[in-house]
Amino acid sequence: MTTVTKYERWPEDDGGWSGLGDWHEPPEQLLARMRDKIGTVLFGKEEVISNVLVAFLAGGHVLLEDVPGVGKTMLARAFAAVIGGEFKRIQLTADMQPADVTGGSVWDGRNGSFLFVPGPIMANVVLADELNRTPPRTQSALLEAMEERCVTTDGESRRLPDPFMLIATQNPWDYEGTFALPEAQTDRFMMRLSIGYPSREHETRLLAALADNRMIDPAAMKPVVAVEEWRRMQRECKTVHVHPDLLPYAVAIVSETRSAAELEAGASPRASRDWLRAAQACAYMEGRRFVLPDDLIAVAEHVLAHRLTLQPSYAASGHTAASVLARIMRETPLPASVSSGRRRR
């Protein structure tokens, strides 16, 4: 295992998670197998798959902003399969009501009473497809579920399954018939990602598999881990050590987004929390029990950029939230005590 200098609280070890119980296989190897298995149905998108695993390990949700037909549903189904979880899909439309998402009470004539019928939100992995095609009233039905892991119907709060992970897709904002997501909802997504079109090589591979009837059905994939093992991974992920000097560095960057001239609105304290959790998950996926500065840097754009609102004048001149964030990170030096912990490029 790599030893990082000037991190005196991180002793040399063999990379195991001593004191946390024995695994039949190291967690980082299980996660690598999960990534590879999802990669058998989503060709050439290893980085996207890894980022989704990071977000879900950290207990977050993912917003996929992409054009139709690039594999968003397949990704969600495959992830549910490799953790042995239940998958449900919500096809959001302009006429949907909140009860269509959360569920509600219906009259049971046989018993002469109301019976609660769970909505599709009651699953381990939920795909909310085309989230920005449904009006804000229905979008808001997801707010409590995403943050509190519960839904309130008929005055009663009901817990969601554990684990609960949401993948929401949205069409590009300029598509006809879309509603902008409110800031309160955007802020609840740990990461915003884009799958993008496949390369020619991978699209050819996809067509060859279809022609030979070799395509794998994500729903038929066997789990790599059990749901309880996945929950354990999420718990262990929170124990990954973060050097105290990395915390002011992260806060300095987030604070700068709130005062940058190019931005109308900066990142929230929830963004700071999500950024830290995502960095811990990055380290955990590599089998480390400590966060490197590069873990924070690797996930910064995915976690922070979608929470930033550009000033219209800067947007018109070609700036993006990602470019402003990159400028802030370039101008914010790492503390000397942790700068030696960078990976060698």
Side-chain angles (χ1 to χ4, degrees), residues 310 318-328 330:
L310 274 174
H319 287 78
T320 65
S323 67
V324 175
L325 178 62
R327 190 266 302 167
I328 292 172
R330 282 195 308 270

Side-chain angles (χ1 to χ4, degrees), residues 56 59-63 146 149 164-166 188-191:
F56 287 163
H61 310 289
V62 172
L63 177 64
M146 294 173 70
R149 301 304 203 269
F164 169 73
M165 292 154 283
L166 180 75
R188 280 170 167 79
F189 287 102
M190 177 172 281
M191 287 189 184

Side-chain angles (χ1 to χ4, degrees), residues 49 54 138 153 170 202 209 217 220 227 232 238 274 335-336:
I49 295 169
V54 164
T138 305
T153 58
Q170 71 169 351
H202 290 111
D217 180 5
V227 169
R232 180 181 171 190
K238 295 178 180 178
D274 286 353

Side-chain angles (χ1 to χ4, degrees), residues 23 46 57 60 86 88 104 120 126 137 183 204 221 223 237 246 264 284 288 310 318:
W23 286 89
E46 291 79 8
L57 260 181
E86 183 183 11
K88 288 187 179 178
V126 176
R137 183 165 178 260
E183 289 83 354
T204 302
M221 293 169 62
C237 196
L246 280 175
E264 279 187 354
Y284 187 84
R288 282 184 281 106
L310 274 174

Side-chain angles (χ1 to χ4, degrees), residues 12-88:
E12 288 189 70
D13 55 42
D14 60 0
W17 293 78
S18 58
L20 295 172
D22 296 327
W23 286 89
H24 65 278
E25 189 175 343
E28 63 272 18
Q29 292 183 19
L30 292 171
L31 289 162
R33 285 174 53 202
M34 292 170 68
R35 183 183 60 235
D36 294 344
K37 200 161 191 177
I38 297 172
T40 63
V41 297
L42 193 66
F43 300 144
K45 299 299 179 181
E46 291 79 8
E47 184 178 352
V48 175
I49 295 169
S50 294
N51 282 322
V52 170
L53 282 170
V54 164
F56 287 163
L57 260 181
H61 310 289
V62 172
L63 177 64
L64 292 176
E65 184 176 85
D66 234 319
V67 295
V70 292
K72 299 184 290 291
T73 301
M74 192 174 292
L75 172 62
R77 285 187 179 277
F79 182 80
V82 296
I83 68 165
E86 183 183 11
F87 170 81
K88 288 187 179 178

